[in-house]
Amino acid sequence: MRPLNGNQPNQKVQVTSRSARNLTFYVRHEKDTMDQHSVVLRSAKPTLDEGLEFARYLDEAAEGFFRLMLGRRASQIMAQAFVMPDHDLSYQNVTFAERDNIVMGMVSGYTAEQHRRSSLGPLKEAAGGRNLRMRVVLILFAPLMRIIDSIADGDFYLQAIAVDEQLRGDGLGALLMDALEQRARESGATRLSLDVSAGNQGAIRFYERRGMTIESQWPKRLKIPVLKFHRMTKKLG
Ligand SMILES: CC(C)(COP(=O)(O)OP(=O)(O)OC[C@H]1O[C@@H](n2cnc3c(N)ncnc32)[C@H](O)[C@@H]1OP(=O)(O)O)[C@@H](O)C(=O)NCCC(=O)NCCS
């Protein structure tokens, strides 16, 4: 957790404090006074500092995939891509949860249409000389990338969600999901979808409690959970 500069929230979200257990969560809007327990949910800003926060959460949610693909400088590379608009890893798709200017969690996602318009260009540009490593990993993981790439029309895709380890289990993840669902509805999406590793039982339980169900599995016959992925979906009412 690190303090970031500037914390004016610019995203309105529904308050669901019933999901919080030990902490009193509510969402602060711009004119409210700050309470020591209040959690602010706000859109990310295009700065490298925020990009580094995003990279940390994204890599955790993706179980180290980005570090594998981009090497030791993965965070810096992702942060450079993050400040660019109109692609999957852009700040435009990211909501942070913070309290007293300290970021505690992140959720990111986009519509099927935004994803179709996106390319790996900004990440490749940021990776520069490390492009070769990236290409090799993308080729090795091509079948998985194809699955992740296939977002149905009308879906809003949850790219990643993560909360600081010591703050898990207190309802912050539920608040971030609420914020994403609201963004999804506002975009006109009719379904929420995501991919999760079958080995990530905690996250699967979390999603199931949020009304998501497993729609398909990949690869179909493989029994090793760490190499297996579930596509989970939920209709948006
Ligand atoms: C999944 C995650 C975002 C949930 O955030 P959270 O703030 O702990 O969520 P909530 O407090 O609203 O809900 C807690 C539920 O999450 C699940 N959970 C998953 N990992 C957990 C953890 N390490 N500690 C506590 N709960 C966890 C549990 O099912 C728990 O439900 P229960 O205790 O009621 O049975 C968070 O655990 C996390 O950051 N995990 C690591 C990153 C990750 O795996 N992301 C998903 C990738 S697809």
Side-chain angles (χ1 to χ4, degrees), residues 91-131:
Y91 68 95
Q92 292 166 318
N93 304 326
V94 177
T95 300
F96 283 123
E98 67 178 18
R99 186 170 50 200
D100 300 336
N101 294 356
I102 310 281
V103 171
M104 303 183 294
M106 181 285 297
V107 67
S108 59
Y110 36 75
T111 64
E113 198 194 344
Q114 282 174 306
H115 177 67
R116 264 196 303 277
R117 286 200 309 261
S118 171
S119 83
L120 283 173
L123 192 62
K124 284 183 179 160
E125 190 184 321
R130 282 187 168 60
N131 236 330

Side-chain angles (χ1 to χ4, degrees), residues 55-74:
R56 182 167 65 84
Y57 289 120
L58 179 63
D59 202 40
E60 177 151 23
E63 299 180 27
F65 177 77
F66 286 89
R67 197 176 153 91
L68 172 77
M69 177 167 73
L70 300 166
R72 273 188 302 127
R73 284 190 58 248

Side-chain angles (χ1 to χ4, degrees), residues 62-63 65-66 68-69 115 137-151 157 194-198 217-219 222 225-231:
E63 299 180 27
F65 177 77
F66 286 89
L68 172 77
M69 177 167 73
H115 177 67
V137 171
L138 286 175
I139 289 167
L140 288 174
F141 284 83
L144 172 62
M145 300 314 287
R146 271 198 295 279
I147 299 289
I148 292 175
D149 258 357
S150 61
I151 304 172
Y157 185 76
L194 60 88
D195 293 298
V196 57
S197 150
Q217 304 189 28
W218 184 91
L222 195 70
V226 283
L227 298 176
K228 206 170 173 77
F229 284 82
H230 293 321
R231 169 67 54 103

Side-chain angles (χ1 to χ4, degrees), residues 104-230:
M104 303 183 294
M106 181 285 297
V107 67
S108 59
Y110 36 75
T111 64
E113 198 194 344
Q114 282 174 306
H115 177 67
R116 264 196 303 277
R117 286 200 309 261
S118 171
S119 83
L120 283 173
L123 192 62
K124 284 183 179 160
E125 190 184 321
R130 282 187 168 60
N131 236 330
L132 184 61
R133 178 180 180 140
M134 185 172 156
R135 269 188 218 157
V136 170
V137 171
L138 286 175
I139 289 167
L140 288 174
F141 284 83
L144 172 62
M145 300 314 287
R146 271 198 295 279
I147 299 289
I148 292 175
D149 258 357
S150 61
I151 304 172
D153 284 345
D155 274 14
F156 193 94
Y157 185 76
L158 186 154
Q159 178 189 53
I161 182 167
V163 166
D164 283 318
E165 203 170 350
Q166 66 276 27
L167 299 174
R168 287 179 197 160
D170 281 332
L172 196 49
L175 275 183
L176 285 162
M177 281 294 282
D178 286 346
L180 190 88
E181 281 185 29
Q182 181 157 322
R183 265 181 57 206
R185 284 193 188 90
E186 283 167 5
S187 76
T190 52
R191 231 172 50 146
L192 197 62
S193 63
L194 60 88
D195 293 298
V196 57
S197 150
N200 195 347
Q201 284 299 320
I204 292 171
R205 217 171 41 242
F206 168 77
Y207 293 135
E208 283 174 341
R209 286 189 184 217
R210 312 277 319 157
M212 306 208 61
T213 54
I214 296 173
E215 186 194 69
S216 56
Q217 304 189 28
W218 184 91
K220 287 199 169 58
R221 285 184 204 90
L222 195 70
K223 293 273 188 290
I224 309 164
V226 283
L227 298 176
K228 206 170 173 77
F229 284 82
H230 293 321

